[in-house]
Amino acid sequence: RQRQMCIRDRGKIVEGLIPVMKGFGYEMEDCRFLANPIDYIIFEGATLGSINHITFMDIKAGKTADLDTHQRKIRDAIKNNDVKFEVL
């Protein structure tokens, strides 16, 4: 059990460092790390003063890496355009 927690914690640390790695493909300043339920929301172009695209990203590694049920529901809502913007 403790080993599993250690592996999970190391995975979260690595996920947090991904934007600074060479070849990531997005400006680090455009990325917002959430960790849960998905790893990142990327506001492409924000560093240049405009938002060209918004990307929801989850980083997976390993042979059995797959989206969990909640992440699949988020992916499906995005694919079905069931996304909105609200101001309170």
Side-chain angles (χ1 to χ4, degrees):
R1 173 136 172 96
Q2 182 141 358
R3 186 174 192 277
Q4 287 175 329
M5 288 174 52
C6 184
I7 290 170
R8 186 189 69 226
D9 291 345
R10 275 191 268 166
K12 290 296 176 193
I13 291 168
V14 169
E15 290 168 1
L17 296 173
I18 291 292
V20 298
M21 296 177 73
K22 228 179 193 182
F24 178 62
Y26 300 97
E27 295 293 327
M28 187 174 91
E29 295 83 6
D30 290 355
C31 303
R32 299 297 177 268
F33 184 61
L34 302 176
N36 193 16
I38 58 170
D39 293 328
Y40 288 94
I41 296 180
I42 303 167
F43 300 93
E44 296 179 54
T47 55
L48 301 175
S50 65
I51 305 293
N52 304 322
H53 193 80
I54 298 173
T55 300
F56 294 78
M57 179 183 287
D58 201 74
I59 297 168
K60 299 293 184 192
K63 295 177 184 174
T64 60
D66 198 9
L67 297 177
D68 64 28
T69 301
H70 195 179
Q71 292 168 330
R72 284 193 300 274
K73 288 179 181 180
I74 292 168
R75 178 204 58 204
D76 293 346
I78 293 165
K79 283 184 175 182
N80 293 328
N81 293 317
D82 293 331
V83 180
K84 60 184 173 179
F85 179 87
E86 290 187 9
V87 177
L88 291 179

Coordinates of all heavy atoms in Angstrom, one line a residue:
R1 N 0.8 -1.2 0.0 CA 0.0 0.0 0.0 C 0.9 1.3 0.0 O 0.6 2.2 -0.7 CB -0.9 0.0 1.2 CG -1.7 1.2 1.4 CD -3.1 1.0 1.7 NE -3.8 2.2 2.0 CZ -4.5 2.9 1.2 NH1 -4.6 2.6 -0.1 NH2 -5.1 4.0 1.5
Q2 N 1.9 1.3 0.9 CA 2.8 2.5 0.9 C 3.5 2.6 -0.4 O 3.7 3.7 -0.8 CB 3.7 2.3 2.1 CG 4.6 3.6 2.2 CD 4.9 4.0 3.6 OE1 4.3 3.4 4.5 NE2 5.7 5.0 3.8
R3 N 3.9 1.5 -1.0 CA 4.6 1.6 -2.3 C 3.7 2.2 -3.4 O 4.2 3.0 -4.2 CB 5.1 0.2 -2.7 CG 5.9 0.2 -3.9 CD 6.5 -1.3 -4.2 NE 7.5 -1.3 -5.2 CZ 7.3 -1.3 -6.5 NH1 6.0 -1.3 -6.9 NH2 8.3 -1.3 -7.3
Q4 N 2.5 1.8 -3.4 CA 1.5 2.3 -4.3 C 1.4 3.8 -4.2 O 1.3 4.6 -5.1 CB 0.2 1.7 -4.2 CG 0.1 0.3 -4.7 CD -1.2 -0.4 -4.5 OE1 -1.9 -0.1 -3.5 NE2 -1.6 -1.3 -5.4
M5 N 1.3 4.3 -2.9 CA 1.1 5.7 -2.6 C 2.4 6.5 -3.1 O 2.3 7.6 -3.7 CB 0.9 6.0 -1.1 CG -0.5 5.5 -0.7 SD -0.8 5.6 1.1 CE -0.3 7.3 1.5
C6 N 3.6 5.9 -2.9 CA 4.8 6.5 -3.3 C 4.9 6.6 -4.8 O 5.2 7.7 -5.3 CB 6.0 5.7 -2.8 SG 7.6 6.5 -3.1
I7 N 4.5 5.6 -5.5 CA 4.5 5.6 -7.0 C 3.5 6.7 -7.5 O 3.8 7.4 -8.4 CB 4.1 4.2 -7.5 CG1 5.3 3.3 -7.3 CG2 3.8 4.3 -9.0 CD1 5.0 1.8 -7.6
R8 N 2.3 6.7 -6.9 CA 1.3 7.7 -7.3 C 1.8 9.1 -7.0 O 1.7 10.0 -7.9 CB 0.0 7.5 -6.5 CG -1.1 8.4 -7.0 CD -2.4 8.4 -6.1 NE -2.0 9.0 -4.8 CZ -2.3 8.5 -3.7 NH1 -3.0 7.3 -3.6 NH2 -2.0 9.1 -2.5
D9 N 2.4 9.4 -5.9 CA 3.0 10.7 -5.6 C 4.1 11.1 -6.5 O 4.1 12.2 -7.0 CB 3.5 10.7 -4.1 CG 2.4 10.6 -3.1 OD1 1.2 10.8 -3.5 OD2 2.7 10.4 -1.9
R10 N 4.9 10.1 -6.9 CA 6.0 10.4 -7.9 C 5.4 10.8 -9.2 O 5.9 11.7 -9.9 CB 7.0 9.3 -8.0 CG 8.1 9.3 -6.9 CD 9.1 8.3 -7.3 NE 8.7 7.1 -6.5 CZ 9.3 5.9 -6.7 NH1 10.2 5.8 -7.7 NH2 8.9 4.9 -6.0
G11 N 4.3 10.1 -9.6 CA 3.7 10.4 -10.8 C 3.1 11.8 -10.9 O 3.2 12.5 -11.9
K12 N 2.5 12.2 -9.8 CA 2.0 13.6 -9.7 C 3.1 14.6 -9.8 O 2.9 15.7 -10.5 CB 1.2 13.8 -8.4 CG -0.1 13.0 -8.4 CD -1.1 13.5 -9.5 CE -2.4 12.7 -9.5 NZ -3.1 13.0 -10.8
I13 N 4.2 14.4 -9.2 CA 5.3 15.3 -9.3 C 5.8 15.4 -10.8 O 6.0 16.5 -11.3 CB 6.5 14.8 -8.4 CG1 6.1 15.0 -7.0 CG2 7.8 15.6 -8.7 CD1 7.0 14.3 -6.0
V14 N 5.9 14.2 -11.5 CA 6.3 14.2 -12.9 C 5.3 15.0 -13.7 O 5.7 15.8 -14.6 CB 6.5 12.8 -13.4 CG1 6.7 12.8 -14.9 CG2 7.7 12.1 -12.7
E15 N 4.0 14.8 -13.5 CA 3.0 15.5 -14.2 C 3.1 17.0 -14.1 O 2.9 17.7 -15.0 CB 1.6 15.0 -13.8 CG 1.3 13.6 -14.1 CD 0.1 13.0 -13.4 OE1 -0.6 13.8 -12.7 OE2 -0.3 11.9 -13.7
G16 N 3.5 17.4 -12.9 CA 3.7 18.8 -12.7 C 4.8 19.4 -13.4 O 4.9 20.6 -13.7
L17 N 5.8 18.6 -13.7 CA 7.0 19.1 -14.4 C 7.0 19.0 -15.9 O 7.8 19.5 -16.6 CB 8.3 18.3 -13.9 CG 8.6 18.4 -12.4 CD1 9.7 17.5 -12.0 CD2 9.0 19.9 -12.1
I18 N 6.0 18.3 -16.4 CA 6.0 18.0 -17.9 C 6.1 19.3 -18.7 O 6.8 19.3 -19.7 CB 4.7 17.3 -18.2 CG1 4.7 15.8 -17.7 CG2 4.4 17.3 -19.7 CD1 5.7 14.9 -18.3
P19 N 5.4 20.4 -18.4 CA 5.5 21.6 -19.2 C 6.9 22.2 -19.4 O 7.2 22.9 -20.3 CB 4.6 22.6 -18.6 CG 3.6 21.8 -17.8 CD 4.4 20.6 -17.3
V20 N 7.8 21.9 -18.5 CA 9.2 22.5 -18.6 C 10.1 21.6 -19.4 O 11.2 21.9 -19.7 CB 9.8 22.8 -17.2 CG1 9.0 23.8 -16.4 CG2 10.0 21.5 -16.4
M21 N 9.6 20.4 -19.8 CA 10.4 19.5 -20.6 C 10.4 19.9 -22.0 O 9.4 20.4 -22.6 CB 9.8 18.1 -20.4 CG 9.9 17.5 -19.0 SD 9.2 15.9 -18.8 CE 10.5 14.9 -19.6
K22 N 11.6 19.7 -22.6 CA 11.8 20.0 -24.1 C 10.8 19.1 -24.9 O 10.5 18.0 -24.6 CB 13.2 19.6 -24.5 CG 13.9 20.6 -25.2 CD 15.3 20.1 -25.5 CE 16.1 21.3 -26.0 NZ 17.4 20.9 -26.4
G23 N 10.2 19.7 -25.9 CA 9.3 19.0 -26.8 C 7.9 18.9 -26.3 O 7.1 18.2 -26.9
F24 N 7.5 19.6 -25.2 CA 6.1 19.5 -24.7 C 5.2 20.0 -25.7 O 4.1 19.5 -25.8 CB 6.0 20.2 -23.3 CG 4.7 20.2 -22.7 CD1 4.0 19.0 -22.4 CD2 4.0 21.4 -22.5 CE1 2.7 19.0 -21.9 CE2 2.7 21.4 -22.0 CZ 2.1 20.2 -21.7
G25 N 5.5 21.1 -26.4 CA 4.7 21.6 -27.4 C 3.8 22.8 -27.1 O 3.1 23.3 -27.9
Y26 N 3.8 23.2 -25.8 CA 3.0 24.3 -25.3 C 3.9 25.2 -24.5 O 4.8 24.7 -23.8 CB 1.8 23.8 -24.5 CG 0.9 22.9 -25.2 CD1 0.9 21.5 -25.1 CD2 -0.2 23.5 -26.0 CE1 0.1 20.7 -25.8 CE2 -1.0 22.6 -26.7 CZ -0.9 21.3 -26.6 OH -1.8 20.4 -27.2
E27 N 3.5 26.5 -24.5 CA 4.2 27.4 -23.6 C 3.9 27.1 -22.1 O 2.7 27.0 -21.8 CB 3.9 28.9 -23.9 CG 4.3 29.3 -25.3 CD 5.8 29.4 -25.4 OE1 6.5 29.7 -24.4 OE2 6.3 29.2 -26.5
M28 N 4.9 27.0 -21.3 CA 4.6 26.7 -19.9 C 3.7 27.7 -19.3 O 2.8 27.4 -18.5 CB 5.9 26.7 -19.1 CG 5.8 26.3 -17.7 SD 7.4 26.1 -16.9 CE 7.5 27.7 -16.1
E29 N 3.8 29.0 -19.6 CA 2.9 30.0 -19.1 C 1.4 29.9 -19.5 O 0.6 30.5 -18.9 CB 3.4 31.4 -19.5 CG 4.8 31.8 -18.9 CD 5.9 31.2 -19.7 OE1 5.7 30.6 -20.8 OE2 7.1 31.3 -19.2
D30 N 1.2 29.1 -20.6 CA -0.2 28.9 -21.0 C -0.9 27.8 -20.3 O -2.1 27.6 -20.4 CB -0.2 28.6 -22.5 CG 0.1 29.7 -23.4 OD1 0.3 30.9 -22.9 OD2 0.3 29.5 -24.6
C31 N -0.1 27.0 -19.5 CA -0.6 25.8 -18.8 C -1.0 26.0 -17.4 O -0.3 26.7 -16.6 CB 0.5 24.7 -18.9 SG 1.1 24.3 -20.5
R32 N -2.1 25.5 -17.0 CA -2.6 25.6 -15.6 C -2.7 24.2 -15.1 O -3.5 23.4 -15.6 CB -3.9 26.3 -15.5 CG -3.9 27.7 -16.0 CD -3.0 28.6 -15.2 NE -2.9 30.0 -15.7 CZ -2.0 30.4 -16.6 NH1 -1.1 29.6 -17.1 NH2 -2.0 31.6 -17.0
F33 N -1.9 23.9 -14.1 CA -1.9 22.5 -13.5 C -3.0 22.4 -12.5 O -3.1 23.1 -11.6 CB -0.6 22.3 -12.8 CG -0.4 20.9 -12.3 CD1 -0.4 19.8 -13.1 CD2 -0.2 20.7 -10.9 CE1 -0.3 18.5 -12.6 CE2 0.0 19.4 -10.4 CZ 0.0 18.3 -11.3
L34 N -3.9 21.4 -12.7 CA -5.0 21.1 -11.8 C -4.7 19.8 -11.0 O -5.1 19.8 -9.8 CB -6.3 20.9 -12.6 CG -6.8 22.1 -13.4 CD1 -8.0 21.7 -14.2 CD2 -7.0 23.3 -12.6
A35 N -4.1 18.8 -11.6 CA -3.8 17.5 -11.0 C -5.1 16.6 -10.9 O -5.0 15.5 -11.3 CB -3.2 17.6 -9.6
N36 N -6.2 17.1 -10.5 CA -7.4 16.3 -10.4 C -8.6 17.1 -10.7 O -8.8 18.2 -10.3 CB -7.4 15.8 -8.9 CG -8.4 14.7 -8.8 OD1 -8.8 14.0 -9.7 ND2 -8.8 14.4 -7.5
P37 N -9.5 16.6 -11.5 CA -9.6 15.3 -12.2 C -8.8 15.2 -13.4 O -8.6 14.1 -13.9 CB -11.1 15.2 -12.5 CG -11.6 16.6 -12.7 CD -10.7 17.4 -11.8
I38 N -8.3 16.3 -14.0 CA -7.4 16.2 -15.2 C -6.2 17.0 -14.8 O -6.2 17.8 -13.9 CB -8.1 16.8 -16.5 CG1 -8.5 18.2 -16.3 CG2 -9.2 15.9 -16.9 CD1 -8.9 18.9 -17.5
D39 N -5.1 16.8 -15.5 CA -3.8 17.4 -15.1 C -3.7 18.8 -15.5 O -3.2 19.7 -14.8 CB -2.7 16.6 -15.7 CG -2.5 15.2 -15.1 OD1 -2.9 15.1 -13.9 OD2 -2.1 14.3 -15.8
Y40 N -4.1 19.2 -16.7 CA -3.9 20.6 -17.2 C -5.0 21.1 -18.0 O -5.7 20.4 -18.7 CB -2.7 20.6 -18.2 CG -1.3 20.4 -17.5 CD1 -0.8 19.2 -17.4 CD2 -0.7 21.5 -17.0 CE1 0.5 19.0 -16.8 CE2 0.5 21.4 -16.3 CZ 1.1 20.1 -16.2 OH 2.3 19.9 -15.6
I41 N -5.2 22.4 -17.9 CA -6.0 23.2 -18.9 C -4.9 24.1 -19.6 O -4.2 24.8 -18.9 CB -7.1 24.0 -18.3 CG1 -8.1 23.0 -17.7 CG2 -7.8 24.8 -19.4 CD1 -9.3 23.7 -17.0
I42 N -4.9 24.1 -20.9 CA -3.9 24.9 -21.6 C -4.6 25.9 -22.4 O -5.5 25.6 -23.2 CB -3.0 24.0 -22.5 CG1 -2.4 22.9 -21.7 CG2 -2.0 24.8 -23.3 CD1 -1.8 21.7 -22.5
F43 N -4.2 27.2 -22.2 CA -4.8 28.3 -22.9 C -3.8 28.7 -24.0 O -3.0 29.6 -23.8 CB -5.1 29.4 -21.9 CG -6.1 29.0 -20.8 CD1 -5.6 28.6 -19.6 CD2 -7.4 29.1 -21.0 CE1 -6.5 28.2 -18.6 CE2 -8.3 28.7 -20.0 CZ -7.9 28.2 -18.8
E44 N -3.9 28.0 -25.1 CA -2.9 28.3 -26.2 C -3.0 29.7 -26.7 O -4.0 30.2 -27.1 CB -3.2 27.3 -27.3 CG -3.0 25.8 -26.9 CD -3.3 24.9 -28.0 OE1 -2.7 25.0 -29.1 OE2 -4.1 24.0 -27.8
G45 N -1.8 30.3 -26.7 CA -1.7 31.7 -27.2 C -1.8 32.8 -26.1 O -1.6 33.9 -26.4
A46 N -2.2 32.4 -24.9 CA -2.3 33.4 -23.8 C -1.1 34.2 -23.6 O -1.2 35.4 -23.3 CB -2.7 32.7 -22.5
T47 N 0.1 33.6 -23.7 CA 1.3 34.4 -23.5 C 1.5 35.4 -24.6 O 2.2 36.4 -24.4 CB 2.6 33.5 -23.4 OG1 2.6 32.7 -24.6 CG2 2.5 32.6 -22.2
L48 N 0.8 35.3 -25.7 CA 0.9 36.2 -26.8 C -0.2 37.2 -26.8 O -0.3 38.0 -27.7 CB 1.0 35.5 -28.1 CG 2.1 34.5 -28.3 CD1 2.0 33.7 -29.6 CD2 3.5 35.2 -28.2
G49 N -1.1 37.1 -25.8 CA -2.2 38.1 -25.7 C -3.5 37.7 -26.3 O -4.4 38.5 -26.3
S50 N -3.6 36.4 -26.7 CA -4.9 35.9 -27.2 C -5.0 34.5 -27.0 O -4.0 33.8 -26.8 CB -5.0 36.2 -28.7 OG -4.0 35.4 -29.5
I51 N -6.2 34.0 -26.9 CA -6.5 32.6 -26.7 C -6.9 32.0 -28.0 O -8.0 32.3 -28.5 CB -7.6 32.3 -25.6 CG1 -7.2 33.0 -24.3 CG2 -7.8 30.8 -25.4 CD1 -6.0 32.5 -23.6
N52 N -6.1 31.1 -28.6 CA -6.4 30.5 -29.9 C -7.2 29.2 -29.7 O -8.0 28.8 -30.6 CB -5.1 30.2 -30.7 CG -4.3 31.5 -30.9 OD1 -4.8 32.5 -31.1 ND2 -3.0 31.3 -30.8
H53 N -7.0 28.6 -28.6 CA -7.6 27.3 -28.4 C -7.4 26.9 -26.9 O -6.4 27.3 -26.3 CB -6.8 26.2 -29.2 CG -7.5 24.9 -29.3 ND1 -8.5 24.7 -30.2 CD2 -7.3 23.7 -28.7 CE1 -8.9 23.4 -30.0 NE2 -8.2 22.8 -29.1
I54 N -8.4 26.2 -26.4 CA -8.2 25.7 -25.0 C -8.2 24.2 -25.0 O -9.0 23.5 -25.7 CB -9.4 26.1 -24.1 CG1 -9.5 27.7 -24.1 CG2 -9.4 25.5 -22.7 CD1 -10.7 28.2 -23.4
T55 N -7.2 23.6 -24.4 CA -6.9 22.2 -24.4 C -7.0 21.6 -23.0 O -6.4 22.1 -22.1 CB -5.5 21.8 -25.0 OG1 -5.5 22.3 -26.3 CG2 -5.3 20.3 -25.0
F56 N -7.8 20.6 -22.8 CA -7.8 19.8 -21.6 C -6.9 18.6 -21.7 O -7.1 17.9 -22.7 CB -9.3 19.3 -21.3 CG -10.2 20.4 -21.0 CD1 -10.8 21.2 -22.1 CD2 -10.6 20.8 -19.7 CE1 -11.7 22.2 -21.9 CE2 -11.5 21.8 -19.5 CZ -12.1 22.5 -20.6
M57 N -5.9 18.5 -20.8 CA -4.9 17.4 -21.0 C -4.7 16.6 -19.7 O -4.6 17.2 -18.7 CB -3.6 18.0 -21.4 CG -2.5 17.0 -21.6 SD -0.9 17.8 -22.0 CE -1.2 18.4 -23.6
D58 N -4.7 15.3 -19.9 CA -4.3 14.4 -18.8 C -3.1 13.6 -19.3 O -3.1 13.1 -20.4 CB -5.4 13.5 -18.4 CG -5.2 13.0 -17.0 OD1 -5.4 13.8 -16.1 OD2 -4.8 11.8 -16.8
I59 N -2.1 13.5 -18.4 CA -0.8 12.9 -18.8 C -0.9 11.5 -18.2 O -1.1 11.3 -17.0 CB 0.4 13.7 -18.3 CG1 0.4 15.0 -19.0 CG2 1.7 12.9 -18.5 CD1 1.3 16.0 -18.4
K60 N -0.6 10.5 -19.0 CA -0.6 9.1 -18.6 C 0.7 8.5 -19.0 O 1.3 8.8 -20.0 CB -1.8 8.3 -19.4 CG -3.2 8.8 -19.1 CD -3.5 8.6 -17.6 CE -4.9 9.0 -17.3 NZ -5.2 9.0 -15.9
A61 N 1.1 7.5 -18.1 CA 2.3 6.8 -18.4 C 2.1 5.3 -17.9 O 1.3 5.1 -17.1 CB 3.5 7.4 -17.6
G62 N 2.9 4.5 -18.5 CA 2.8 3.1 -18.1 C 1.9 2.3 -19.0 O 1.2 2.8 -19.8
K63 N 2.0 1.0 -18.8 CA 1.3 0.1 -19.7 C -0.2 0.1 -19.5 O -1.0 -0.2 -20.4 CB 1.8 -1.4 -19.5 CG 3.3 -1.5 -19.9 CD 3.8 -2.9 -19.6 CE 5.2 -3.0 -19.9 NZ 5.8 -4.3 -19.5
T64 N -0.7 0.3 -18.2 CA -2.1 0.3 -17.9 C -2.7 1.6 -17.8 O -3.8 1.8 -17.3 CB -2.3 -0.6 -16.7 OG1 -1.7 0.1 -15.6 CG2 -1.9 -2.0 -16.8
A65 N -2.0 2.7 -18.2 CA -2.5 4.0 -18.0 C -3.7 4.2 -18.9 O -3.7 4.0 -20.1 CB -1.4 5.0 -18.4
D66 N -4.8 4.7 -18.3 CA -6.1 4.9 -19.0 C -6.8 5.9 -18.2 O -6.6 6.1 -17.0 CB -6.9 3.6 -19.2 CG -7.9 3.7 -20.3 OD1 -7.9 4.7 -21.0 OD2 -8.7 2.8 -20.4
L67 N -7.8 6.6 -18.9 CA -8.6 7.5 -18.1 C -9.5 6.8 -17.2 O -10.0 5.7 -17.5 CB -9.5 8.3 -19.1 CG -8.8 9.2 -20.2 CD1 -9.8 9.8 -21.1 CD2 -7.9 10.3 -19.5
D68 N -9.7 7.4 -16.0 CA -10.7 6.8 -15.1 C -12.1 7.2 -15.5 O -12.3 8.0 -16.5 CB -10.4 7.1 -13.6 CG -10.5 8.6 -13.3 OD1 -11.3 9.3 -13.9 OD2 -9.8 9.1 -12.4
T69 N -13.1 6.7 -14.8 CA -14.5 7.0 -15.2 C -14.8 8.5 -15.2 O -15.4 9.0 -16.2 CB -15.5 6.3 -14.2 OG1 -15.2 4.9 -14.2 CG2 -16.9 6.5 -14.5
H70 N -14.4 9.2 -14.2 CA -14.7 10.6 -14.2 C -14.0 11.4 -15.3 O -14.6 12.2 -16.0 CB -14.2 11.2 -12.8 CG -14.7 12.5 -12.5 ND1 -14.4 13.2 -11.3 CD2 -15.5 13.4 -13.2 CE1 -15.0 14.4 -11.3 NE2 -15.6 14.5 -12.4
Q71 N -12.7 11.0 -15.6 CA -12.0 11.6 -16.7 C -12.7 11.3 -18.1 O -12.7 12.2 -18.9 CB -10.6 11.1 -16.7 CG -9.8 11.7 -15.5 CD -8.4 11.0 -15.4 OE1 -8.3 9.8 -15.8 NE2 -7.5 11.7 -14.8
R72 N -13.2 10.1 -18.2 CA -13.9 9.8 -19.5 C -15.1 10.6 -19.6 O -15.5 11.1 -20.7 CB -14.2 8.3 -19.5 CG -13.0 7.4 -19.9 CD -13.4 6.0 -20.2 NE -14.1 5.3 -19.1 CZ -13.5 4.7 -18.1 NH1 -12.2 4.6 -18.1 NH2 -14.2 4.1 -17.2
K73 N -15.8 10.9 -18.5 CA -17.0 11.7 -18.6 C -16.7 13.1 -19.0 O -17.4 13.8 -19.7 CB -17.8 11.7 -17.2 CG -18.5 10.3 -17.0 CD -19.2 10.3 -15.6 CE -19.8 9.0 -15.4 NZ -20.5 8.9 -14.1
I74 N -15.6 13.6 -18.5 CA -15.1 15.0 -18.9 C -14.8 15.0 -20.3 O -15.2 15.9 -21.1 CB -13.9 15.4 -18.0 CG1 -14.3 15.6 -16.6 CG2 -13.3 16.7 -18.6 CD1 -13.2 15.8 -15.6
R75 N -14.0 14.0 -20.8 CA -13.7 13.9 -22.2 C -14.9 13.9 -23.1 O -15.0 14.6 -24.1 CB -12.8 12.7 -22.5 CG -12.5 12.5 -23.9 CD -12.2 11.0 -24.3 NE -13.3 10.2 -24.0 CZ -13.2 8.9 -23.7 NH1 -12.0 8.3 -23.7 NH2 -14.3 8.1 -23.4
D76 N -15.9 13.1 -22.7 CA -17.1 13.0 -23.5 C -17.9 14.3 -23.5 O -18.5 14.6 -24.5 CB -18.0 11.8 -23.0 CG -17.3 10.4 -23.2 OD1 -16.3 10.4 -23.9 OD2 -17.8 9.5 -22.5
A77 N -18.0 15.0 -22.4 CA -18.7 16.2 -22.3 C -18.0 17.2 -23.3 O -18.7 18.0 -24.0 CB -18.7 16.8 -20.9
I78 N -16.7 17.2 -23.3 CA -16.0 18.1 -24.2 C -16.3 17.8 -25.7 O -16.6 18.6 -26.5 CB -14.5 18.1 -23.9 CG1 -14.3 18.8 -22.5 CG2 -13.7 18.9 -25.0 CD1 -12.9 18.5 -22.0
K79 N -16.2 16.5 -26.0 CA -16.5 16.0 -27.4 C -17.9 16.3 -27.8 O -18.1 16.6 -29.0 CB -16.2 14.5 -27.5 CG -14.8 14.1 -27.5 CD -14.7 12.6 -27.7 CE -13.2 12.2 -27.9 NZ -13.1 10.8 -28.1
N80 N -18.8 16.3 -26.9 CA -20.2 16.6 -27.2 C -20.6 18.1 -27.1 O -21.8 18.4 -27.2 CB -21.2 15.8 -26.2 CG -21.0 14.3 -26.5 OD1 -20.8 13.9 -27.6 ND2 -21.2 13.5 -25.4
N81 N -19.6 18.9 -26.9 CA -19.8 20.4 -26.8 C -20.7 20.7 -25.6 O -21.4 21.7 -25.6 CB -20.3 21.0 -28.1 CG -19.3 20.9 -29.2 OD1 -18.1 21.2 -29.0 ND2 -19.8 20.5 -30.4
D82 N -20.6 19.9 -24.6 CA -21.4 20.2 -23.3 C -20.5 21.0 -22.4 O -20.3 20.6 -21.2 CB -21.9 18.9 -22.7 CG -22.9 18.2 -23.5 OD1 -23.6 18.9 -24.3 OD2 -23.0 16.9 -23.5
V83 N -20.0 22.1 -22.8 CA -19.1 22.9 -22.0 C -19.6 24.3 -22.1 O -20.1 24.8 -23.1 CB -17.6 22.9 -22.6 CG1 -16.7 23.7 -21.8 CG2 -17.1 21.5 -22.7
K84 N -19.6 25.0 -20.9 CA -20.1 26.4 -20.9 C -19.1 27.3 -20.1 O -18.3 26.8 -19.3 CB -21.5 26.5 -20.4 CG -21.7 26.0 -19.0 CD -23.2 26.0 -18.7 CE -23.4 25.3 -17.3 NZ -24.8 25.4 -17.0
F85 N -19.3 28.6 -20.2 CA -18.6 29.5 -19.4 C -19.5 30.3 -18.6 O -20.6 30.8 -19.1 CB -17.8 30.5 -20.4 CG -17.0 31.5 -19.7 CD1 -15.7 31.3 -19.3 CD2 -17.5 32.8 -19.5 CE1 -15.0 32.3 -18.7 CE2 -16.8 33.8 -18.9 CZ -15.5 33.5 -18.5
E86 N -19.3 30.5 -17.3 CA -20.1 31.3 -16.5 C -19.3 32.3 -15.7 O -18.2 32.1 -15.4 CB -20.9 30.3 -15.5 CG -21.9 29.4 -16.1 CD -22.7 28.7 -15.1 OE1 -22.6 29.0 -13.8 OE2 -23.4 27.8 -15.5
V87 N -20.0 33.4 -15.4 CA -19.4 34.4 -14.5 C -20.4 34.6 -13.3 O -21.6 34.7 -13.5 CB -19.3 35.7 -15.2 CG1 -18.8 36.8 -14.3 CG2 -18.4 35.6 -16.4
L88 N -19.8 34.5 -12.1 CA -20.7 34.7 -10.9 C -20.5 36.1 -10.4 O -19.4 36.6 -10.3 CB -20.3 33.7 -9.8 CG -20.7 32.3 -10.0 CD1 -20.2 31.4 -8.9 CD2 -22.1 32.1 -10.3

